[in-house]
Amino acid sequence: MTSIEQNPDLVHDLTAEDYWNRYQLLFALYSVSDRAIPSAYDGLKPGQRRLLYQMHSSNLLPGNKPQKSSKICSAVTGNLHPHGGTAMYGAAALLAADFQRVKIIDGQGAFPRIQGDIPAADRYTEMRLSPAGAALTEELGDHAVPMTETFDGEWIEPVVLPARFPVLLVNGALGIAEGWATKVPAHNPRQVMAACRALLKKPNLSDDKLMELLPGPDWGCGGSVIGSAGLRDYITTGRGSFTVRGRLVVEGRNVVITELPPGVASSTVQERIRSLIDGGDLPGVADMSDLTDRRNGLRIVVAAKRGHDPAQLITSLLALTPLEGTFAASLVALDADRIPRWWSVRELIGAFLSLRDSVIVRRSEHRLE
């Protein structure tokens, strides 16, 4: 007899629609609201928020001794975030990467310096909050945000962090969930804060004035937006596509790549150039070498053959490799009820300002008590 024949109670009559509504839909909603999509208010995904909260609770503040990454990630997954430590360490390494517009974590050891770098194993690295990361958690001691029970009811965690700058617009975000995806570019922190001050002073600020203060994305990896097409749609609606290009300069007979577009790894570019050379699609290239190091950063050198103009080689590289491409911005974030929706840049700044209002009221009430 089979196990099903021995245990007929294991068989349940269930239509595909009932299965979807009962199980798959629940998982989809969980994935959207508790894993992949950031909050519009503190700008963080749940895993990132819990990581920073754990580090704050462990007193891993600037100036204090850092702690082994493996110990921190284990504490987060055990106390707050019931997922794998590998995924948590990946999130931590991204917050500590040098190409972030603002580093949230101060990492000690081999953390990513350029896009595509793989960090050293978590047992070899150490972490603590950077000054910017500490600014996201500083007011937790003043009961500045509401708390809720953790997944197992054994601890409490903040619903949002009392962020002192809009992390989502400053560092950007990328997340994919069932039915939703977010792709927020990074921006210049000074420009973002200037826009915050302007909208705080004048909430009905015109779109033209807002674009003067925040003209467009500005990534830590150095990619540049080419032209202005799509930028106004992006700023005003949260949806827009624009052309992004890395930085290529001519040095003698060489073309040197020093910056990459967002989301493009150095290895991807090199593999593409190698395949083009081997296939004869870049006849003007003599050789390519990777001179990237931890001191000087990204430096991919493409040597031109005699009789070939390096400036013309730049045109071919931009056309045939990922050094130029389209960035399709999608400002999707969770609202106060943890429901995903589209936001404009103005609305995201407004959500951050409303968080600050709430933080100041709750903080003041606690201090008065």
Side-chain angles (χ1 to χ4, degrees):
M1 295 179 65
T2 66
S3 59
I4 293 179
E5 290 172 334
Q6 292 175 343
N7 301 278
D9 56 316
L10 294 177
V11 179
H12 300 277
D13 290 328
L14 197 67
T15 66
E17 182 179 3
D18 288 340
Y19 171 79
W20 172 262
N21 291 333
R22 185 177 301 181
Y23 299 108
Q24 292 298 112
L25 183 58
L26 286 175
F27 175 77
L29 293 174
Y30 169 78
S31 180
V32 168
S33 64
D34 209 55
R35 293 183 68 179
I37 307 297
S39 166
Y41 294 88
D42 65 359
L44 298 169
K45 298 179 183 179
Q48 296 171 330
R49 183 181 305 115
R50 289 161 178 161
L51 172 65
L52 300 181
Y53 177 55
Q54 179 68 56
M55 296 177 75
H56 170 83
S57 300
S58 300
N59 203 33
L60 297 174
L61 303 176
N64 292 351
K65 183 180 178 181
Q67 195 173 87
K68 282 289 184 183
S69 302
S70 56
K71 185 176 182 179
I72 298 171
C73 293
S74 295
V76 177
T77 55
N79 296 329
L80 302 166
H81 199 62
H83 297 283
T86 301
M88 180 53 61
Y89 182 54
L94 185 60
L95 294 177
D98 282 354
F99 56 82
Q100 288 287 355
R101 207 60 181 84
V102 173
K103 288 175 66 174
I104 305 300
I105 289 177
D106 178 16
Q108 308 292 313
F111 282 97
R113 297 183 66 85
I114 60 174
Q115 296 179 115
D117 275 0
I118 299 175
D122 56 6
R123 61 185 179 275
Y124 299 126
T125 62
E126 297 180 335
M127 299 187 300
R128 62 186 172 194
L129 291 173
S130 69
L136 300 178
T137 62
E138 183 178 349
E139 293 161 304
L140 284 171
D142 284 326
H143 297 240
V145 291
M147 307 291 284
T148 186
E149 287 188 349
T150 56
F151 68 97
D152 57 5
E154 293 185 3
W155 210 16
I156 59 172
E157 62 176 322
V159 175
V160 291
L161 291 185
R164 304 190 73 172
F165 65 94
V167 183
L168 186 55
L169 285 175
V170 170
N171 277 351
L174 179 65
I176 300 174
E178 283 75 1
W180 291 93
T182 185
K183 193 174 184 180
V184 183
H187 298 79
N188 184 292
R190 294 182 182 275
Q191 294 176 349
V192 172
M193 296 310 293
C196 289
R197 287 191 293 269
L199 286 171
L200 184 62
K201 184 177 181 180
K202 189 177 181 181
N204 61 345
L205 189 73
S206 69
D207 291 337
D208 291 335
K209 290 292 184 181
L210 179 59
M211 290 195 67
E212 289 179 11
L213 297 169
L214 189 63
D218 186 1
W219 290 274
C221 62
S224 303
V225 177
I226 305 302
S228 59
L231 284 177
R232 187 176 185 86
D233 288 341
Y234 160 66
I235 295 292
T236 56
T237 69
R239 283 176 272 195
S241 298
F242 33 84
T243 301
V244 183
R245 179 185 298 174
R247 186 168 185 264
L248 299 85
V249 295
V250 175
E251 295 183 3
R253 301 294 308 164
N254 299 325
V255 174
V256 182
I257 303 167
T258 58
E259 296 177 1
L260 297 173
V264 176
S266 171
S267 58
T268 302
V269 173
Q270 293 182 57
E271 289 171 5
R272 178 59 177 163
I273 294 175
R274 288 286 184 200
S275 66
L276 290 171
I277 294 174
D278 294 341
D281 296 312
L282 283 176
V285 175
D287 193 18
M288 181 194 71
S289 56
D290 183 12
L291 303 182
T292 302
D293 57 37
R294 297 189 69 83
R295 174 174 295 180
N296 300 312
L298 179 71
R299 187 175 176 84
I300 301 172
V301 179
V302 181
K305 292 181 179 178
R306 289 185 178 275
H308 289 268
D309 184 3
Q312 292 294 326
L313 184 56
I314 289 180
T315 303
S316 298
L317 289 171
L318 292 175
L320 299 174
T321 71
L323 288 169
E324 180 174 295
T326 300
F327 188 98
S330 171
L331 269 59
V332 173
L334 302 179
D335 63 15
D337 297 319
R338 297 172 61 192
I339 297 174
R341 73 172 183 87
W342 294 93
W343 301 71
S344 67
V345 171
R346 179 193 300 272
E347 289 172 336
L348 281 181
I349 293 176
F352 165 72
L353 295 178
S354 70
L355 170 66
R356 290 307 307 166
D357 283 342
S358 171
V359 165
I360 292 171
V361 170
R362 293 178 64 95
R363 183 188 68 189
S364 301
E365 289 174 346
H366 171 72
R367 293 178 178 178
L368 284 172
E369 289 175 4

